Amino acid sequence: MAQLYIYNTLSKKKELLKPLHDPRVGMYVCGPTVYGDPHLGHARPAITFDILFRYLTHLGYKVRYVRNITDVGHLVNDADSGEDKIAKKARLEDLEPMEVVQYYLNRYHKAMEALNVLPPSIEPHASGHIIEQIQLVKDILDKGYAYESKGSVYFDVEKYDEKYNYGILSGRNIEDMLNNTRELDGQEEKRNPIDFALWKKAAPEHIMRWSSPWSDGFPGWHLECTAMSKKYLGEEFDIHGGGMDLVFPHHECEIAQSVASTDKHAVKYWMHNNMITVNGQKMGKSLGNFINLEEFFTGNHNLLTQAYSPMTVRFFILQAHYRSTVDFSNEALQASEKGLARLMDAYKNIERLEAKTLEATVNIKDLEQKCFEAMNDDLNTPIVISHLFEATRIINSALAGQILLTSENIDDLKHFFNVFFFELLGIKNELKDGNASYEAFSKAVDMLLEIRMQAKQNKDWATSDRIRNELTAFGFEIKDTKDGFEWKLNK
Ligand code: ZN
């Protein structure tokens, strides 16, 4: 098994992955809150942990990947007060809250499929796990780390901090938190402003509500991930991921909840992807730079000068290490689009390579080895991509007759692209119609052009012209070369 090192946000260093139940790996990633269109902020964690999922699977681990759907109403300002986000949308659009959830969930799934993000093993809904969440509140109450107040239940942060350490993931301490806590509605129910809700009594107008021993109400946001990860991965599991914005308070509260209820740290490795900025600015609805994925795919947004295909967006995200920020701009995306097209052409051109020597002057296996080293070093996808460009230079030099390849070199190049470009980076061939297999498609075009060459040899100009003219009309650019033909499809 490879030596995979991943950066653990808890220990703040790279650690060798040693699964608790080798070869099984349990992995939990915080999924979307489904009350709006999927955007870049959804794409980055999904792609980051898709790479990890693909790599672990490639290494032979048996991965159970759980990514939740937050569909229980959470509150507009995330501070235990205000209106529930899903219910607000439902009210504004005159829909059932679950219609809002289903509508945006379908759109999320469609966008993830376009980005070639593999579906997780289990995708549990918070609303389907209310019983488990109520049980977790009871367990924390029994251990004495929570209290009931006017039908709501709050986690007692100060009491927890006396025995354990609240803030170990984010590095915050409770004095700082106290100094930075604003007084908000509902605070009078709490013993301490930094306490967080485990269960909230629902206001009369609140639609999404369930009965519990304390009140008709709904669970606190942090509860669902602790309850569902425990249900599907056990009290202790390997990897918990999410965006860096979730470190505090969400993941900090998850740690407190699992330690308080089971006396165990549920998670061995915490992993967080960094954020995305747009033209150097944080994304935000009020800044007008909030571009959703469909707008990227259609180019239908005033900040975009063109459409960017899902694979361009995916490739662009992978050109940065997941712990670095990524800044979206038209220039950067156009560069990615060109780079991706170069790699795709190179892959196609492997078919045209011929073995011209028995003695190798290049070593493709070495490039492949370097890529494994990069992946083992905390999933360093930009390094993998740089080696794919190196392979592209080799392919192009061989086509130009500048270097000679052995038949083993050619097989290695094919293998290298298949493993790293397609399987691990998860790039797929994109055609305008989306789903057709690029290989079958290329072969069909090649076949037509071969028929055209034969027609020319037979002086059957009518057939030869017809093939050329019609393919050109479909958007193909055809070039005759001294040993045959070249073609490409222009958009
Ligand atoms: Zn979560």
Side-chain angles (χ1 to χ4, degrees), residues 28 30 68 225 240 250-251 254:
Y28 187 95
C30 292
N68 67 304
C225 293
H240 192 317
H250 187 51
H251 291 161
E254 277 190 46

Side-chain angles (χ1 to χ4, degrees), residues 354-362 404-409:
E354 281 170 35
K356 290 192 174 153
T357 177
L358 291 171
E359 216 165 303
T361 54
V362 293
L404 304 179
L405 299 178
T406 64
S407 68
E408 197 191 349
N409 284 156

Side-chain angles (χ1 to χ4, degrees), residues 60-326:
Y61 290 114
K62 218 174 163 314
V63 187
R64 182 177 297 161
Y65 175 15
V66 182
R67 188 184 65 205
N68 67 304
I69 299 295
T70 297
D71 62 347
V72 164
H74 290 298
L75 306 175
V76 174
N77 66 10
D78 283 328
D80 305 338
S81 67
E83 194 175 3
D84 153 349
K85 287 171 183 166
I86 292 170
K88 183 178 175 191
K89 197 95 188 173
R91 178 173 58 74
L92 292 175
E93 297 181 12
D94 195 21
L95 297 168
E96 262 299 305
M98 278 300 154
E99 270 183 293
V100 174
V101 165
Q102 192 66 53
Y103 176 80
Y104 288 112
L105 184 57
N106 292 346
R107 292 171 78 80
Y108 177 76
H109 283 151
K110 207 175 139 207
M112 291 306 118
E113 202 186 329
L115 289 167
N116 210 19
V117 168
L118 299 174
S121 331
I122 305 176
E123 198 173 46
H125 289 230
S127 64
H129 297 76
I130 301 295
I131 293 168
E132 289 82 354
Q133 296 182 70
I134 289 175
Q135 185 57 50
L136 182 57
V137 179
K138 285 182 186 166
D139 293 346
I140 298 172
L141 277 166
D142 286 349
K143 293 279 170 86
Y145 291 107
Y147 56 90
E148 192 188 339
S149 174
K150 296 182 183 163
S152 293
V153 180
Y154 292 97
F155 191 92
D156 190 336
V157 171
E158 214 156 15
K159 182 161 182 208
Y160 172 83
D161 191 58
E162 283 165 19
K163 182 164 178 196
Y164 306 103
N165 183 0
Y166 185 74
I168 47 167
L169 186 67
S170 59
R172 301 185 190 209
N173 64 55
I174 63 170
E175 286 77 36
D176 294 344
M177 288 179 224
L178 271 170
N179 291 335
N180 292 323
T181 305
R182 288 173 295 142
E183 284 299 322
L184 294 158
D185 294 346
Q187 294 287 32
E188 67 277 6
E189 290 179 3
K190 298 182 185 179
R191 290 183 190 160
N192 191 321
I194 57 172
D195 293 346
F196 58 90
L198 297 174
W199 187 265
K200 279 291 281 182
K201 181 181 176 175
E205 67 278 11
H206 200 101
I207 313 170
M208 299 180 88
R209 57 202 299 150
W210 293 267
S211 57
S212 80
W214 314 288
S215 62
D216 259 21
F218 55 96
W221 170 38
H222 316 303
L223 212 57
E224 64 181 87
C225 293
T226 306
M228 296 191 291
S229 61
K230 181 177 162 190
K231 173 160 179 164
Y232 296 111
L233 299 172
E235 284 186 357
E236 288 172 289
F237 60 96
D238 300 297
I239 299 167
H240 192 317
M244 236 167 67
D245 53 335
L246 297 179
V247 169
F248 188 87
H250 187 51
H251 291 161
E252 200 71 79
C253 294
E254 277 190 46
I255 292 176
Q257 290 166 161
S258 59
V259 172
S261 59
T262 65
D263 212 17
K264 284 175 190 157
H265 268 273
V267 179
K268 204 169 166 194
Y269 309 92
W270 282 94
M271 292 178 74
H272 294 94
N273 61 276
N274 211 322
M275 300 289 104
I276 285 177
T277 53
V278 175
N279 296 321
Q281 270 189 314
K282 217 182 136 191
M283 277 195 314
K285 287 234 158 77
S286 56
L287 294 168
N289 66 358
F290 205 84
I291 311 173
N292 69 42
L293 290 170
E294 199 175 283
E295 288 163 341
F296 270 103
F297 303 160
T298 58
N300 192 13
H301 189 282
N302 58 14
L303 286 179
L304 300 175
T305 53
Q306 62 168 85
Y308 299 99
S309 76
M311 281 307 106
T312 301
V313 173
R314 182 178 178 107
F315 187 66
F316 178 70
I317 286 176
L318 293 175
Q319 281 182 296
H321 188 263
Y322 74 90
R323 285 191 291 117
S324 316
T325 53
V326 161

